[in-house]
Amino acid sequence: AGADIAAVLSPPPVLPVVMADFSGPASACPDVLFGPDDLLRWEATHGTVPQGSLFCLHTGWGRLWSDPDAFLGLDRSGSDAMRFPAFSPQVAELLVHGRGVAGMGIDTHGVDAPSDTRFAVNRCLLDAGRLVLECLANLHELPPAGSTAVIGGLRLRGGTGCPVSVTVLVP
């Protein structure tokens, strides 16, 4: 399932961006999930997430990019288990079906918790033809609302993903 990548990125989408700062909880617990209650708290301050927007989650994980083991949340004792903040499947359902977002982005390795072998967040987004953006940089520089993203990708057919270029215009 999932949308044809060429159809999704041709022409490049231009989307309003909203950004939630989740770096506090993420610094306290690498396994933390951004859930519906977190979204409702964000909306109480910033207003309802606009339909057709790109919802980005700043976890602070981007600062770990130059240390691959830390970025992936690998246990230095040799465990293969990854640990990093992500979206909960419940908030993905709410953002996609309740708010009508065009996509979701995060500064970690993935939108799904590493322990979720079903990839529920990815499936929710891709089954609805929405964008999934991972490993985003500099989310800490974005305001909660008012920015615009221009997303360009390779024109692939039949793939499950591709590298993209994300440029965000900040007011």
Side-chain angles (χ1 to χ4, degrees):
D4 181 19
I5 297 301
V8 171
L9 295 175
S10 180
V14 177
L15 303 170
V17 177
V18 294
M19 189 278 301
D21 185 348
F22 197 56
S23 59
S27 68
C29 177
D31 299 312
V32 67
L33 297 180
F34 184 82
D37 289 343
D38 300 303
L39 176 62
L40 295 175
R41 275 192 294 278
W42 184 91
E43 288 181 326
T45 302
H46 304 289
T48 303
V49 173
Q51 184 175 356
S53 64
L54 174 65
F55 187 90
C56 292
L57 189 63
H58 166 59
T59 69
W61 231 242
R63 75 186 187 291
L64 303 174
W65 179 255
S66 61
D67 182 346
D69 286 349
F71 183 73
L72 294 174
L74 295 174
D75 183 344
R76 300 209 188 256
S77 69
S79 168
D80 288 339
M82 292 187 287
R83 299 176 69 197
F84 52 80
F87 290 101
S88 75
Q90 297 82 8
V91 83
E93 289 286 336
L94 178 56
L95 284 165
V96 169
H97 301 294
R99 303 300 187 265
V101 297
M104 292 166 50
I106 194 166
D107 57 358
T108 67
H109 178 65
V111 293
D112 288 288
S115 61
D116 182 359
T117 58
R118 296 179 310 109
F119 303 103
V121 174
N122 262 288
R123 288 182 185 279
C124 173
L125 287 155
L126 296 176
D127 287 349
R130 304 309 202 277
L131 291 171
V132 176
L133 301 175
E134 300 164 335
C135 299
L136 293 173
N138 300 316
L139 291 180
H140 65 281
E141 296 184 18
L142 301 182
S147 297
T148 302
V150 180
I151 305 163
L154 301 173
R155 298 191 191 299
L156 301 177
R157 296 214 182 269
T160 59
C162 72
V164 296
S165 169
V166 180
T167 302
V168 178
L169 308 171
V170 179

mmCIF file with all atom_site columns, all heavy atoms in Angstrom, residues 10-29:
data_model
loop_
_atom_site.group_PDB
_atom_site.id
_atom_site.type_symbol
_atom_site.label_atom_id
_atom_site.label_alt_id
_atom_site.label_comp_id
_atom_site.label_asym_id
_atom_site.label_entity_id
_atom_site.label_seq_id
_atom_site.pdbx_PDB_ins_code
_atom_site.Cartn_x
_atom_site.Cartn_y
_atom_site.Cartn_z
_atom_site.occupancy
_atom_site.B_iso_or_equiv
_atom_site.pdbx_formal_charge
_atom_site.auth_seq_id
_atom_site.auth_comp_id
_atom_site.auth_asym_id
_atom_site.auth_atom_id
_atom_site.pdbx_PDB_model_num
ATOM 1   N N   . SER A 1 10 ? 5.532  15.091 -7.366  1.00 0.00 ? 10 SER A N   1
ATOM 2   C CA  . SER A 1 10 ? 5.613  15.745 -8.666  1.00 0.00 ? 10 SER A CA  1
ATOM 3   C C   . SER A 1 10 ? 4.293  16.432 -8.978  1.00 0.00 ? 10 SER A C   1
ATOM 4   O O   . SER A 1 10 ? 3.308  15.747 -9.226  1.00 0.00 ? 10 SER A O   1
ATOM 5   C CB  . SER A 1 10 ? 5.927  14.708 -9.747  1.00 0.00 ? 10 SER A CB  1
ATOM 6   O OG  . SER A 1 10 ? 6.001  15.329 -11.000 1.00 0.00 ? 10 SER A OG  1
ATOM 7   N N   . PRO A 1 11 ? 4.204  17.734 -8.972  1.00 0.00 ? 11 PRO A N   1
ATOM 8   C CA  . PRO A 1 11 ? 5.276  18.677 -8.643  1.00 0.00 ? 11 PRO A CA  1
ATOM 9   C C   . PRO A 1 11 ? 5.570  18.681 -7.149  1.00 0.00 ? 11 PRO A C   1
ATOM 10  O O   . PRO A 1 11 ? 4.777  18.154 -6.368  1.00 0.00 ? 11 PRO A O   1
ATOM 11  C CB  . PRO A 1 11 ? 4.706  20.027 -9.079  1.00 0.00 ? 11 PRO A CB  1
ATOM 12  C CG  . PRO A 1 11 ? 3.232  19.863 -8.923  1.00 0.00 ? 11 PRO A CG  1
ATOM 13  C CD  . PRO A 1 11 ? 2.943  18.403 -9.255  1.00 0.00 ? 11 PRO A CD  1
ATOM 14  N N   . PRO A 1 12 ? 6.700  19.294 -6.766  1.00 0.00 ? 12 PRO A N   1
ATOM 15  C CA  . PRO A 1 12 ? 7.026  19.310 -5.335  1.00 0.00 ? 12 PRO A CA  1
ATOM 16  C C   . PRO A 1 12 ? 5.920  19.982 -4.532  1.00 0.00 ? 12 PRO A C   1
ATOM 17  O O   . PRO A 1 12 ? 5.431  21.043 -4.918  1.00 0.00 ? 12 PRO A O   1
ATOM 18  C CB  . PRO A 1 12 ? 8.313  20.145 -5.270  1.00 0.00 ? 12 PRO A CB  1
ATOM 19  C CG  . PRO A 1 12 ? 8.876  20.109 -6.636  1.00 0.00 ? 12 PRO A CG  1
ATOM 20  C CD  . PRO A 1 12 ? 7.715  19.951 -7.574  1.00 0.00 ? 12 PRO A CD  1
ATOM 21  N N   . PRO A 1 13 ? 5.515  19.359 -3.446  1.00 0.00 ? 13 PRO A N   1
ATOM 22  C CA  . PRO A 1 13 ? 4.482  19.980 -2.617  1.00 0.00 ? 13 PRO A CA  1
ATOM 23  C C   . PRO A 1 13 ? 4.998  21.231 -1.907  1.00 0.00 ? 13 PRO A C   1
ATOM 24  O O   . PRO A 1 13 ? 6.162  21.294 -1.520  1.00 0.00 ? 13 PRO A O   1
ATOM 25  C CB  . PRO A 1 13 ? 4.126  18.911 -1.599  1.00 0.00 ? 13 PRO A CB  1
ATOM 26  C CG  . PRO A 1 13 ? 4.928  17.721 -1.894  1.00 0.00 ? 13 PRO A CG  1
ATOM 27  C CD  . PRO A 1 13 ? 5.891  18.042 -2.978  1.00 0.00 ? 13 PRO A CD  1
ATOM 28  N N   . VAL A 1 14 ? 4.151  22.188 -1.771  1.00 0.00 ? 14 VAL A N   1
ATOM 29  C CA  . VAL A 1 14 ? 4.397  23.377 -0.965  1.00 0.00 ? 14 VAL A CA  1
ATOM 30  C C   . VAL A 1 14 ? 3.340  23.345 0.123   1.00 0.00 ? 14 VAL A C   1
ATOM 31  O O   . VAL A 1 14 ? 2.145  23.393 -0.162  1.00 0.00 ? 14 VAL A O   1
ATOM 32  C CB  . VAL A 1 14 ? 4.293  24.661 -1.824  1.00 0.00 ? 14 VAL A CB  1
ATOM 33  C CG1 . VAL A 1 14 ? 4.478  25.895 -0.961  1.00 0.00 ? 14 VAL A CG1 1
ATOM 34  C CG2 . VAL A 1 14 ? 5.311  24.624 -2.963  1.00 0.00 ? 14 VAL A CG2 1
ATOM 35  N N   . LEU A 1 15 ? 3.790  23.222 1.375   1.00 0.00 ? 15 LEU A N   1
ATOM 36  C CA  . LEU A 1 15 ? 2.874  22.971 2.483   1.00 0.00 ? 15 LEU A CA  1
ATOM 37  C C   . LEU A 1 15 ? 3.115  23.913 3.648   1.00 0.00 ? 15 LEU A C   1
ATOM 38  O O   . LEU A 1 15 ? 4.276  24.221 3.969   1.00 0.00 ? 15 LEU A O   1
ATOM 39  C CB  . LEU A 1 15 ? 3.064  21.537 3.011   1.00 0.00 ? 15 LEU A CB  1
ATOM 40  C CG  . LEU A 1 15 ? 2.901  20.387 2.032   1.00 0.00 ? 15 LEU A CG  1
ATOM 41  C CD1 . LEU A 1 15 ? 3.370  19.086 2.674   1.00 0.00 ? 15 LEU A CD1 1
ATOM 42  C CD2 . LEU A 1 15 ? 1.451  20.287 1.610   1.00 0.00 ? 15 LEU A CD2 1
ATOM 43  N N   . PRO A 1 16 ? 2.055  24.340 4.332   1.00 0.00 ? 16 PRO A N   1
ATOM 44  C CA  . PRO A 1 16 ? 2.253  25.052 5.593   1.00 0.00 ? 16 PRO A CA  1
ATOM 45  C C   . PRO A 1 16 ? 2.818  24.074 6.629   1.00 0.00 ? 16 PRO A C   1
ATOM 46  O O   . PRO A 1 16 ? 2.492  22.884 6.608   1.00 0.00 ? 16 PRO A O   1
ATOM 47  C CB  . PRO A 1 16 ? 0.856  25.519 5.978   1.00 0.00 ? 16 PRO A CB  1
ATOM 48  C CG  . PRO A 1 16 ? -0.084 24.645 5.217   1.00 0.00 ? 16 PRO A CG  1
ATOM 49  C CD  . PRO A 1 16 ? 0.647  24.168 3.992   1.00 0.00 ? 16 PRO A CD  1
ATOM 50  N N   . VAL A 1 17 ? 3.676  24.587 7.488   1.00 0.00 ? 17 VAL A N   1
ATOM 51  C CA  . VAL A 1 17 ? 4.336  23.751 8.488   1.00 0.00 ? 17 VAL A CA  1
ATOM 52  C C   . VAL A 1 17 ? 3.903  24.177 9.879   1.00 0.00 ? 17 VAL A C   1
ATOM 53  O O   . VAL A 1 17 ? 3.859  25.366 10.191  1.00 0.00 ? 17 VAL A O   1
ATOM 54  C CB  . VAL A 1 17 ? 5.875  23.873 8.394   1.00 0.00 ? 17 VAL A CB  1
ATOM 55  C CG1 . VAL A 1 17 ? 6.565  23.056 9.484   1.00 0.00 ? 17 VAL A CG1 1
ATOM 56  C CG2 . VAL A 1 17 ? 6.369  23.443 7.019   1.00 0.00 ? 17 VAL A CG2 1
ATOM 57  N N   . VAL A 1 18 ? 3.579  23.193 10.711  1.00 0.00 ? 18 VAL A N   1
ATOM 58  C CA  . VAL A 1 18 ? 3.428  23.421 12.143  1.00 0.00 ? 18 VAL A CA  1
ATOM 59  C C   . VAL A 1 18 ? 4.454  22.533 12.834  1.00 0.00 ? 18 VAL A C   1
ATOM 60  O O   . VAL A 1 18 ? 4.774  21.439 12.360  1.00 0.00 ? 18 VAL A O   1
ATOM 61  C CB  . VAL A 1 18 ? 1.994  23.136 12.652  1.00 0.00 ? 18 VAL A CB  1
ATOM 62  C CG1 . VAL A 1 18 ? 1.016  24.121 12.063  1.00 0.00 ? 18 VAL A CG1 1
ATOM 63  C CG2 . VAL A 1 18 ? 1.559  21.732 12.363  1.00 0.00 ? 18 VAL A CG2 1
ATOM 64  N N   . MET A 1 19 ? 5.016  23.057 13.933  1.00 0.00 ? 19 MET A N   1
ATOM 65  C CA  . MET A 1 19 ? 6.083  22.339 14.608  1.00 0.00 ? 19 MET A CA  1
ATOM 66  C C   . MET A 1 19 ? 5.807  22.297 16.100  1.00 0.00 ? 19 MET A C   1
ATOM 67  O O   . MET A 1 19 ? 5.529  23.325 16.725  1.00 0.00 ? 19 MET A O   1
ATOM 68  C CB  . MET A 1 19 ? 7.430  23.032 14.342  1.00 0.00 ? 19 MET A CB  1
ATOM 69  C CG  . MET A 1 19 ? 8.653  22.257 14.806  1.00 0.00 ? 19 MET A CG  1
ATOM 70  S SD  . MET A 1 19 ? 9.067  22.419 16.559  1.00 0.00 ? 19 MET A SD  1
ATOM 71  C CE  . MET A 1 19 ? 9.316  24.162 16.730  1.00 0.00 ? 19 MET A CE  1
ATOM 72  N N   . ALA A 1 20 ? 5.865  21.097 16.655  1.00 0.00 ? 20 ALA A N   1
ATOM 73  C CA  . ALA A 1 20 ? 5.713  20.920 18.098  1.00 0.00 ? 20 ALA A CA  1
ATOM 74  C C   . ALA A 1 20 ? 7.080  20.621 18.694  1.00 0.00 ? 20 ALA A C   1
ATOM 75  O O   . ALA A 1 20 ? 7.806  19.752 18.200  1.00 0.00 ? 20 ALA A O   1
ATOM 76  C CB  . ALA A 1 20 ? 4.753  19.779 18.405  1.00 0.00 ? 20 ALA A CB  1
ATOM 77  N N   . ASP A 1 21 ? 7.435  21.367 19.728  1.00 0.00 ? 21 ASP A N   1
ATOM 78  C CA  . ASP A 1 21 ? 8.699  21.137 20.430  1.00 0.00 ? 21 ASP A CA  1
ATOM 79  C C   . ASP A 1 21 ? 8.463  20.084 21.508  1.00 0.00 ? 21 ASP A C   1
ATOM 80  O O   . ASP A 1 21 ? 7.760  20.328 22.483  1.00 0.00 ? 21 ASP A O   1
ATOM 81  C CB  . ASP A 1 21 ? 9.196  22.437 21.043  1.00 0.00 ? 21 ASP A CB  1
ATOM 82  C CG  . ASP A 1 21 ? 10.567 22.289 21.696  1.00 0.00 ? 21 ASP A CG  1
ATOM 83  O OD1 . ASP A 1 21 ? 11.043 21.145 21.889  1.00 0.00 ? 21 ASP A OD1 1
ATOM 84  O OD2 . ASP A 1 21 ? 11.164 23.328 22.021  1.00 0.00 ? 21 ASP A OD2 1
ATOM 85  N N   . PHE A 1 22 ? 9.051  18.931 21.300  1.00 0.00 ? 22 PHE A N   1
ATOM 86  C CA  . PHE A 1 22 ? 8.910  17.796 22.215  1.00 0.00 ? 22 PHE A CA  1
ATOM 87  C C   . PHE A 1 22 ? 10.272 17.432 22.803  1.00 0.00 ? 22 PHE A C   1
ATOM 88  O O   . PHE A 1 22 ? 10.482 16.341 23.290  1.00 0.00 ? 22 PHE A O   1
ATOM 89  C CB  . PHE A 1 22 ? 8.306  16.627 21.426  1.00 0.00 ? 22 PHE A CB  1
ATOM 90  C CG  . PHE A 1 22 ? 7.707  15.515 22.247  1.00 0.00 ? 22 PHE A CG  1
ATOM 91  C CD1 . PHE A 1 22 ? 6.715  15.765 23.179  1.00 0.00 ? 22 PHE A CD1 1
ATOM 92  C CD2 . PHE A 1 22 ? 8.102  14.210 22.041  1.00 0.00 ? 22 PHE A CD2 1
ATOM 93  C CE1 . PHE A 1 22 ? 6.145  14.731 23.916  1.00 0.00 ? 22 PHE A CE1 1
ATOM 94  C CE2 . PHE A 1 22 ? 7.540  13.161 22.762  1.00 0.00 ? 22 PHE A CE2 1
ATOM 95  C CZ  . PHE A 1 22 ? 6.565  13.427 23.703  1.00 0.00 ? 22 PHE A CZ  1
ATOM 96  N N   . SER A 1 23 ? 11.208 18.387 22.733  1.00 0.00 ? 23 SER A N   1
ATOM 97  C CA  . SER A 1 23 ? 12.580 18.102 23.151  1.00 0.00 ? 23 SER A CA  1
ATOM 98  C C   . SER A 1 23 ? 12.705 17.865 24.653  1.00 0.00 ? 23 SER A C   1
ATOM 99  O O   . SER A 1 23 ? 13.563 17.089 25.076  1.00 0.00 ? 23 SER A O   1
ATOM 100 C CB  . SER A 1 23 ? 13.524 19.216 22.701  1.00 0.00 ? 23 SER A CB  1
ATOM 101 O OG  . SER A 1 23 ? 13.128 20.465 23.236  1.00 0.00 ? 23 SER A OG  1
ATOM 102 N N   . GLY A 1 24 ? 11.853 18.502 25.461  1.00 0.00 ? 24 GLY A N   1
ATOM 103 C CA  . GLY A 1 24 ? 11.905 18.275 26.908  1.00 0.00 ? 24 GLY A CA  1
ATOM 104 C C   . GLY A 1 24 ? 11.612 16.835 27.274  1.00 0.00 ? 24 GLY A C   1
ATOM 105 O O   . GLY A 1 24 ? 12.452 16.152 27.881  1.00 0.00 ? 24 GLY A O   1
ATOM 106 N N   . PRO A 1 25 ? 10.434 16.322 26.904  1.00 0.00 ? 25 PRO A N   1
ATOM 107 C CA  . PRO A 1 25 ? 10.141 14.912 27.193  1.00 0.00 ? 25 PRO A CA  1
ATOM 108 C C   . PRO A 1 25 ? 11.143 13.950 26.533  1.00 0.00 ? 25 PRO A C   1
ATOM 109 O O   . PRO A 1 25 ? 11.505 12.933 27.122  1.00 0.00 ? 25 PRO A O   1
ATOM 110 C CB  . PRO A 1 25 ? 8.738  14.714 26.618  1.00 0.00 ? 25 PRO A CB  1
ATOM 111 C CG  . PRO A 1 25 ? 8.127  16.080 26.631  1.00 0.00 ? 25 PRO A CG  1
ATOM 112 C CD  . PRO A 1 25 ? 9.263  17.024 26.358  1.00 0.00 ? 25 PRO A CD  1
ATOM 113 N N   . ALA A 1 26 ? 11.607 14.281 25.332  1.00 0.00 ? 26 ALA A N   1
ATOM 114 C CA  . ALA A 1 26 ? 12.543 13.395 24.630  1.00 0.00 ? 26 ALA A CA  1
ATOM 115 C C   . ALA A 1 26 ? 13.901 13.343 25.318  1.00 0.00 ? 26 ALA A C   1
ATOM 116 O O   . ALA A 1 26 ? 14.562 12.302 25.303  1.00 0.00 ? 26 ALA A O   1
ATOM 117 C CB  . ALA A 1 26 ? 12.707 13.848 23.176  1.00 0.00 ? 26 ALA A CB  1
ATOM 118 N N   . SER A 1 27 ? 14.308 14.440 25.934  1.00 0.00 ? 27 SER A N   1
ATOM 119 C CA  . SER A 1 27 ? 15.602 14.418 26.635  1.00 0.00 ? 27 SER A CA  1
ATOM 120 C C   . SER A 1 27 ? 15.498 13.636 27.941  1.00 0.00 ? 27 SER A C   1
ATOM 121 O O   . SER A 1 27 ? 16.480 13.092 28.420  1.00 0.00 ? 27 SER A O   1
ATOM 122 C CB  . SER A 1 27 ? 16.104 15.835 26.900  1.00 0.00 ? 27 SER A CB  1
ATOM 123 O OG  . SER A 1 27 ? 15.291 16.490 27.833  1.00 0.00 ? 27 SER A OG  1
ATOM 124 N N   . ALA A 1 28 ? 14.299 13.562 28.505  1.00 0.00 ? 28 ALA A N   1
ATOM 125 C CA  . ALA A 1 28 ? 14.087 12.830 29.754  1.00 0.00 ? 28 ALA A CA  1
ATOM 126 C C   . ALA A 1 28 ? 13.944 11.330 29.536  1.00 0.00 ? 28 ALA A C   1
ATOM 127 O O   . ALA A 1 28 ? 14.287 10.535 30.411  1.00 0.00 ? 28 ALA A O   1
ATOM 128 C CB  . ALA A 1 28 ? 12.859 13.365 30.473  1.00 0.00 ? 28 ALA A CB  1
ATOM 129 N N   . CYS A 1 29 ? 13.443 10.931 28.355  1.00 0.00 ? 29 CYS A N   1
ATOM 130 C CA  . CYS A 1 29 ? 13.184 9.510  28.096  1.00 0.00 ? 29 CYS A CA  1
ATOM 131 C C   . CYS A 1 29 ? 13.295 9.230  26.604  1.00 0.00 ? 29 CYS A C   1
ATOM 132 O O   . CYS A 1 29 ? 12.473 9.712  25.825  1.00 0.00 ? 29 CYS A O   1
ATOM 133 C CB  . CYS A 1 29 ? 11.797 9.135  28.593  1.00 0.00 ? 29 CYS A CB  1
ATOM 134 S SG  . CYS A 1 29 ? 11.346 7.411  28.237  1.00 0.00 ? 29 CYS A SG  1
#
